[in-house]
Amino acid sequence: MGSLNVSIVTPDGPVYEGVAQMVIARTKAGELGILPGHVPLVAPLKIDIVRLKVESGEEWVAVNGGFMEVNGEEVNILADTAEREQDIDIDRAEKAKERAEDELSRAKEQKVDEVMARLALQRAINRIHAKEHN
Ligand code: ATP
């Protein structure tokens, strides 16, 4: 079986550059498993985990939206933020989750931005989820 050259890049720089046997990502149209030879595509991603099947197992990356481009053996993901599981600060994510939940609970009475709070909550839950892999 062949392999894919995967790059995950944010405006702050590359987060992952390496080879994977398969990439599993959640696009806005559903989950996609990319194997070598997949048809070329560009798809917007949800705030979710991108799973990379590598020789040693699975690598999980918490990806905050963005786009995935598949072209031949290349898989390029461009997102606002992305963290590999070992780079996630779990305390920070737990605090961000609490803050977002608190804002959402006050959204009815006060003018907090419910959409922003909901997105912050999704980012925090996604990071916690990635960190809990293994
Ligand atoms: P917070 O409220 O904790 O800043 P956030 O969701 O608002 O969370 P972002 O704006 O998405 O944070 O990210 C800002 C930068 O901090 C990005 O570089 C992102 O990769 C990094 N980052 C955010 N949360 C974490 C975390 N829990 N662990 C490691 N890096 C993080």
Side-chain angles (χ1 to χ4, degrees), residues 27 32-34 38-45 67-72 74-76:
T27 74
L32 269 188
I34 308 293
H38 197 283
V39 291
L41 65 84
V42 174
L45 295 178
F67 286 86
M68 174 171 68
E69 179 200 26
V70 180
N71 196 354
E74 307 288 320
V75 178
N76 300 310

Side-chain angles (χ1 to χ4, degrees), residues 9-13 78-81:
V9 177
T10 74
D12 290 337
L78 183 60
D80 278 346
T81 64

Side-chain angles (χ1 to χ4, degrees), residues 2 56 73 83 113 116 128:
S56 55
E73 314 301 277
E83 303 89 31
D113 193 328
M116 297 298 275
I128 294 164

